[in-house]
Amino acid sequence: MGNRLKKVAVVGLGYVGLPLALAFSKQGYKVTGIDLDERKLQLLKEGRSYIQDIPDQQVKESAQRRQFSATREMHRLREADVIIICVPTPLNGDDEPDLTYLMQAAASIRDHLRRGQIIVLESSTYPGTTREVLKPLLEQSGLSVGTDVFLGYSPERVDPGNRHYPLEVIPKVVSGITDKCARAVEDVYKTVFQTVVRISSTDAAEMTKLLENTYRFVNISFINEIAQLCNSMGIDVWEVIEAARSKPFGFSAFFPSPGAGGHCIPVDPLYLQWRAKQFGATSSFIAASREINHRMPRYIVERIKEALSRESLSGVKILVVGVAFKPNIDDTRESSAIQLIECLQQDGAAVSYYDPYVHEVRVQGKLLTSVHISGNPVSQSEYDCAIIAVNHEGLPLQQLIDQIPLVYDTRNALKGMQGTAKVIRLGGGTPDSEGNAGIPLRD
Ligand SMILES: NC(=O)c1ccc[n+]([C@@H]2O[C@H](COP(=O)([O-])OP(=O)(O)OC[C@H]3O[C@@H](n4cnc5c(N)ncnc54)[C@H](O)[C@@H]3O)[C@@H](O)[C@H]2O)c1
């Protein structure tokens, strides 16, 4: 069926939807991207990309080949053979699933649904969403899923900023409400993705995504807890992780950080926790991980106070290096570096930040702008301390350790480097008088 289908509509052109739309257009599909954000639509019309991994050229070429166009007109959904939903699935104020965007998008699809269409949900969500929420909503059109239209779920695994795994290379899990639905989705996706993994139900496919992200959340929090234990025992956690990963099986290395951030990792486990509660179950791992993750910024602030021998950070000038939620990207959603800035400010510190990818960021309602340190000498009195929160490639690290008296390195970015600063690493143990870690605490 797949190769005969020619028109695809992608609803939601964000970090997930735009790359996906362009991947389909590259394979010869005529793709209509649908979004409500006028700014994004205008940029796309001008042949410009707002996603860092996608060069303007790619948008321009797809548009020139008439393989891709973007609109906010929902009636265009009717032209599509395949409709893929990539809208946000955030949490509401009570940290519970907020399916508002999904319900809105699904209602638009319902209003323009026609026989023969294939609808695939890609947004991350709790097991049961496609079957219990999306299916009944689409069937309000009078068309039946499995006979008139075909509905499936395929979790998105794109990893923004990761150049080693382009979208088409990441194996794609697909599923359908019925067997026929699953085969329809598989046939289409096989024409774009190198490997397609079909599984038995949409519930299992939704759970697959939550397992992957909860696994990351739990392990990131676990290694952060181990980093704190190592620090208390005067053991360098970074050395320990290096040694442990020399084991060729049974150990996957995770590394300390100010915490898990982003739109997915701290959010998706709460979708799972919420759903589990509906079945009278709960995950103590998710609860504990959440607690550890939440405490990380405060933990770092306490270590900095200790290093400066101060009760409070009132008036202390601190430079936070990196505010994106992970290296080499410009996305700041749920960034632990921003939570760290909030925490430092609450303690009275005067905080500036430097991030080559993020020119401005809002912290507690106030707009902060990245300072320019790269290549500009920092005067010794400008900052009392720098915190390396994110290890983007190409940071001016030597400059930091030569020009700022104290550097707190949460990522072991300064490994092997020498400078005049006193350097303390997250989980690096207590430094001795020469700055070497791994020395037990003394009275
Ligand atoms: N960002 C990632 O790395 C990533 C990875 C895997 C999965 N996901 C999941 O994919 C989904 C989308 O995430 P994202 O990062 O692309 O979000 P995003 O915020 O970058 O993009 C979502 C887009 O949907 C648009 N939108 C919202 N409601 C709409 C509607 N009713 N009709 C049309 N467009 C609408 C928004 O304007 C926005 O442009 C989420 O469920 C997320 O958890 C994200």
Side-chain angles (χ1 to χ4, degrees):
M1 197 197 276
N3 291 335
R4 285 190 286 111
L5 296 172
K6 288 284 174 262
K7 289 189 180 161
V8 172
V10 175
V11 185
L13 295 173
Y15 288 93
V16 164
L18 184 60
L20 196 68
L22 296 176
F24 273 85
S25 84
K26 219 163 84 189
Q27 295 308 321
Y29 291 93
K30 203 171 163 107
V31 180
T32 306
I34 299 184
D35 206 293
L36 304 175
D37 184 332
E38 292 294 349
R39 185 190 68 91
K40 287 180 182 163
L41 294 174
Q42 186 55 36
L43 286 169
L44 293 173
K45 216 163 274 168
E46 292 165 12
R48 286 160 65 195
S49 165
Y50 42 81
I51 304 276
Q52 193 192 318
D53 294 339
I54 296 183
D56 291 350
Q57 197 56 25
Q58 206 181 332
V59 177
K60 269 188 209 133
E61 277 170 15
S62 289
Q64 275 159 5
R65 280 188 276 114
R66 296 183 165 279
Q67 296 296 125
F68 175 68
S69 63
T71 179
R72 62 171 296 137
E73 294 174 359
M74 295 292 169
H75 67 83
R76 299 283 306 278
L77 285 164
R78 203 167 173 79
E79 298 164 12
D81 301 296
V82 183
I83 300 171
I84 306 175
I85 308 170
C86 306
V87 296
T89 44
L91 296 166
N92 66 19
D94 296 324
D95 283 344
E96 291 178 345
D98 174 3
L99 297 187
T100 317
Y101 299 102
L102 176 56
M103 303 291 275
Q104 260 175 16
S108 305
I109 296 168
R110 173 201 62 201
D111 294 346
H112 300 95
L113 203 61
R114 65 166 173 80
R115 204 172 288 277
Q117 284 181 315
I118 298 169
I119 301 97
V120 188
L121 176 62
E122 291 231 1
S123 304
S124 310
T125 185
Y126 61 82
T129 310
T130 310
R131 186 172 45 78
E132 289 179 6
V133 179
L134 202 47
K135 177 176 176 285
L137 217 156
L138 295 179
E139 287 186 330
Q140 287 171 1
S141 65
L143 296 171
S144 289
V145 166
T147 47
D148 301 322
V149 292
F150 305 94
L151 174 62
Y153 180 79
S154 177
E156 181 54 59
R157 290 167 153 172
V158 68
D159 186 17
N162 186 337
R163 285 178 231 118
H164 302 295
Y165 291 100
L167 194 63
E168 300 84 344
V169 172
I170 306 169
K172 198 83 172 100
V173 170
V174 299
S175 64
I177 291 289
T178 65
D179 204 43
K180 207 167 166 193
C181 294
R183 268 187 282 122
V185 178
E186 183 181 21
D187 283 348
V188 175
Y189 275 55
K190 264 189 345 206
T191 62
V192 174
F193 296 93
Q194 287 176 12
T195 311
V196 172
V197 181
R198 170 142 69 103
I199 62 170
S200 69
S201 68
T202 53
D203 286 47
E206 289 156 339
M207 185 65 195
T208 304
K209 178 68 187 177
L210 297 192
L211 169 64
E212 290 168 12
N213 281 358
T214 303
Y215 173 87
R216 282 192 68 75
F217 188 55
V218 167
N219 277 288
I220 289 167
S221 299
F222 174 63
I223 205 66
N224 275 340
E225 186 173 65
I226 292 290
Q228 294 176 35
L229 298 185
C230 279
N231 201 65
S232 314
M233 294 187 285
I235 295 167
D236 178 353
V237 73
W238 301 93
E239 184 190 5
V240 172
I241 296 168
E242 277 313 310
R245 74 197 291 218
S246 66
K247 183 180 177 185
F249 50 88
F251 181 81
S252 294
F254 282 79
F255 298 94
S257 67
H263 181 50
C264 298
I265 306 297
V267 173
D268 295 355
L270 301 189
Y271 267 63
L272 177 55
Q273 191 71 303
W274 176 84
R275 184 59 165 169
K277 280 191 184 144
Q278 295 193 326
F279 292 85
T282 188
S283 161
S284 39
F285 274 108
I286 293 175
S289 303
R290 210 175 159 217
E291 179 61 30
I292 295 165
N293 202 48
H294 184 70
R295 281 202 315 256
M296 277 315 289
R298 174 53 50 194
Y299 174 82
I300 292 170
V301 169
E302 292 308 317
R303 296 293 75 70
I304 286 168
K305 283 189 342 200
E306 225 169 65
L308 291 169
S309 307
R310 292 183 65 123
E311 291 283 302
S312 107
L313 292 179
S314 181
V316 176
K317 290 163 284 177
I318 296 184
L319 178 70
V320 172
V321 180
V323 292
F325 83 80
K326 66 175 183 173
N328 307 322
I329 62 161
D330 59 5
D331 191 348
T332 57
R333 290 178 294 178
E334 314 284 331
S335 170
S336 49
I338 293 177
Q339 289 155 27
L340 176 61
I341 294 178
E342 285 172 8
C343 221
L344 290 162
Q345 287 178 336
Q346 277 159 16
D347 226 274
V351 187
S352 307
Y353 87 89
Y354 168 71
D355 192 314
Y357 291 90
V358 183
H359 302 302
E360 52 184 32
V361 78
R362 207 164 273 284
V363 182
Q364 287 182 323
K366 244 182 108 185
L367 198 65
L368 300 185
T369 311
S370 173
V371 297
H372 298 282
I373 54 163
S374 193
N376 301 332
V378 176
S379 78
Q380 286 285 336
S381 59
E382 215 166 328
Y383 303 107
D384 301 302
C385 168
I387 304 173
I388 301 173
V390 184
N391 51 341
H392 292 307
E393 279 166 25
L395 289 174
L397 297 175
Q398 191 61 51
Q399 194 184 337
L400 293 178
I401 49 172
D402 284 341
Q403 295 174 353
I404 298 180
L406 171 69
V407 180
Y408 189 87
D409 181 2
T410 70
R411 304 277 187 164
N412 204 18
L414 300 172
K415 186 181 174 189
M417 295 181 72
Q418 302 267 324
T420 51
K422 175 178 175 185
V423 174
I424 300 182
R425 287 170 306 150
L426 170 58
T430 309
D432 65 7
S433 53
E434 269 99 47
N436 299 311
I439 306 298
L441 278 173
R442 293 182 204 99
D443 296 333

